Amino acid sequence: MIGRNGIGIGIGIGHNLDGLSMKILLTGGTGYIGSHIAVVFAQMGHSVVLYDNLSNSSASVAGQINAITDEKCVFVRGDIRDTAFLQSTLRSQQIEAVVHLAGLKAVGESVEKPIDYYANNVQGTISLLEAMEAERIKTLVFSSSATVYGQPQYLPIDENHPTSATNPYGRSKLHIEEMLSDVAASDGGWHIACLRYFNPAGAHETARLGERPAGKPNNLMPFIAQVATGERTVLSIFGDDYETPDGTGLRDYIHVMDLAEGHAMALQFLISNAGWHAFNLGTGQAYSVMEMIKSFEKASCQKVAFNVAPRRPGDVAACFANPDKAMLVLGWTASRTLDDMCSSTWHFYQSFDNAAGKAKG
Ligand code: NAD
Ligand code: UD1
């Protein structure tokens, strides 16, 4: 493909990691993003342990991952705040590296329940670090977020953009990043990557894995999908008077499988690079809410009814990545298109609804 800067790019994940097989623990491994990472890692020959308390996912996801990969991913039900159990899992599974996804992620809920967010996200990460240190496991990939950049001061956002937080969820991510930076500075044996995701979207091509929030979706893509299925009647566009080409908000949507492959490249990088590192995982391409609706309509052949509502408090007009560092340092770039994101989401929703019956609400 041709990258953002016109440079020819070949990811060649399999080639880059040939011969390397590790035992990797994924905290939050049965969640939306963790499940896709598990597939990528298992298909590369890694041994994968999914560690999850199932607060926002189901154990059946482990079965779906194994069905896709023909590999035996191990599922362990546990909470990251249970340091002793986490440590015994790290030891019994002979884990060599951890990808840390477990946590709570709803911005609005974090304002209502900040203690839950600091307990799960910050205290949970401290517990994980204690368990890892006790087992002398010092390779960690952390699921961070573009939310650590706060209100964009310039676009596209690179990793040198100042960090700040506008809500407890964002603050928990920032606290964790800062903690991890201190840990890496204290002991040269740590190898840590903070991956700042922009807007993950899409589903696995088999339609066995995807994102299906239980209640009313907070994020755009699942909301659009639920209007397309008829499960919800109308999408509210939060503001059409932004200073953007069509007045609606611009975001950097990234296919969840591209995101998952970024984790593989980050892990490979960490093997030979100690210290603390931050990388944006985005495409560098921004789409408006209106473009998302149109693209989903095209992929699904369904109308997506919408109305225009007031701006959502805290929203910004535009947020998108400068992904050059990940390309230059990790050799990673996103290759899937917006149409891939929409069609895989639609395929997943149709399969899910056919299998489970529509959860109206
Ligand atoms: P998700 O809710 O689908 O997955 C998170 C998983 O963590 C769930 O399976 C949940 O059961 C588990 N979990 C939560 N608390 C736990 C605990 N204390 N112990 C053990 N397991 C626990 O969310 P996701 O979209 O897959 O996000 C994964 C990570 O990526 C999160 O840390 C999130 O903050 C981060 N992230 C997500 C997005 C996004 O838009 N989805 C964007 C940026 C960053
Ligand atoms: C959200 C999170 C942010 C997180 C990011 C990536 C909030 C306030 N912020 O941001 O912390 O890092 O996801 O996961 O939740 N939109 C509508 N109608 C809807 C839903 C969304 O018009 O029903 C619009 C929004 O105004 C925005 C765009 O769609 O312009 C994307 O929204 P969303 O999916 O919630 O992502 P972010 O706002 O980028």
Side-chain angles (χ1 to χ4, degrees):
M1 68 164 283
I2 299 299
R4 216 173 125 261
N5 299 331
I7 300 168
I9 297 155
I11 296 185
I13 292 269
H15 295 297
N16 285 334
L17 296 175
D18 264 357
L20 175 72
S21 172
M22 296 180 80
K23 294 204 162 202
I24 303 165
L25 184 104
L26 304 186
T27 74
T30 49
Y32 168 47
I33 297 167
S35 57
H36 291 80
I37 295 174
V39 167
V40 168
F41 281 3
Q43 288 181 332
M44 289 166 56
H46 294 303
S47 299
V48 177
V49 177
L50 313 161
Y51 185 96
D52 202 300
N53 69 358
L54 303 183
S55 59
N56 197 36
S57 56
S58 151
S60 65
V61 173
Q64 299 291 358
I65 294 167
N66 281 326
I68 294 169
T69 59
D70 285 332
E71 302 280 337
K72 201 74 202 135
C73 287
V74 174
F75 171 64
V76 176
R77 183 170 186 172
D79 197 294
I80 52 170
R81 290 165 293 175
D82 186 344
T83 316
F85 184 60
L86 193 47
Q87 190 179 337
S88 76
T89 305
L90 292 173
R91 182 178 304 175
S92 64
Q93 299 291 336
Q94 300 176 293
I95 296 298
E96 297 165 284
V98 175
V99 179
H100 177 35
L101 302 116
L104 305 179
K105 63 166 185 175
V107 173
E109 185 185 61
S110 80
V111 176
E112 309 279 316
K113 301 177 180 173
I115 298 169
D116 285 0
Y117 275 68
Y118 292 120
N120 267 277
N121 297 5
V122 180
Q123 199 175 317
T125 303
I126 294 170
S127 167
L128 171 66
L129 291 168
E130 287 173 341
M132 289 178 70
E133 185 163 57
E135 292 303 311
R136 295 184 193 81
I137 301 161
K138 296 190 173 177
T139 302
L140 176 65
V141 177
F142 171 60
S143 291
S144 190
S145 166
T147 193
V148 300
Y149 295 121
Q151 298 284 332
Q153 294 179 18
Y154 58 84
L155 291 166
I157 297 176
D158 61 22
E159 290 82 354
N160 295 322
H161 186 288
T163 53
S164 68
T166 55
N167 56 68
Y169 166 70
R171 212 163 346 267
S172 75
K173 290 289 179 192
L174 202 47
H175 280 339
I176 293 167
E177 282 208 3
E178 288 168 348
M179 252 165 36
L180 295 177
S181 171
D182 289 341
V183 167
S186 73
D187 171 354
W190 283 91
H191 299 228
I192 298 175
C194 292
L195 304 184
R196 296 170 175 168
Y197 310 162
F198 279 70
N199 291 65
H204 192 263
E205 62 185 0
T206 59
R208 288 179 177 274
L209 301 173
E211 183 184 28
R212 207 168 194 321
K216 190 173 174 185
N218 295 309
N219 297 116
L220 181 64
M221 184 69 115
F223 208 112
I224 290 179
Q226 293 188 13
V227 175
T229 60
E231 196 171 327
R232 292 183 190 280
T233 48
V234 63
L235 169 79
S236 291
I237 296 179
F238 298 145
D240 69 349
D241 55 354
Y242 285 106
E243 288 195 11
T244 59
D246 66 19
T248 66
L250 289 172
R251 295 292 184 276
D252 186 338
Y253 298 92
I254 173 168
H255 197 295
V256 65
M257 288 301 288
D258 280 327
L259 197 68
E261 290 169 1
H263 290 71
M265 301 306 273
L267 187 59
Q268 183 195 27
F269 167 81
L270 287 183
I271 288 163
S272 46
N273 291 279
W276 179 95
H277 310 270
F279 296 99
N280 286 343
L281 293 187
T283 66
Q285 174 80 48
Y287 290 101
S288 72
V289 177
M290 201 56 88
E291 286 173 312
M292 295 297 288
I293 294 170
K294 295 295 164 214
S295 181
F296 204 94
E297 286 185 336
K298 184 162 166 270
S300 65
C301 299
Q302 304 293 317
K303 283 304 283 179
V304 175
F306 63 86
N307 57 33
V308 177
R311 293 180 180 190
R312 183 171 62 179
D315 267 0
V316 296
C319 179
F320 52 96
N322 177 337
D324 288 353
K325 185 179 174 191
M327 181 176 70
L328 296 170
V329 178
L330 304 181
W332 170 89
T333 192
S335 61
R336 294 166 180 86
T337 63
L338 180 59
D339 185 54
D340 295 331
M341 295 179 226
C342 293
S343 52
S344 60
T345 300
W346 179 240
H347 189 196
F348 171 69
Y349 263 75
Q350 287 198 297
S351 306
F352 185 98
D353 289 341
N354 290 339
K358 284 186 184 176
K360 302 264 184 203

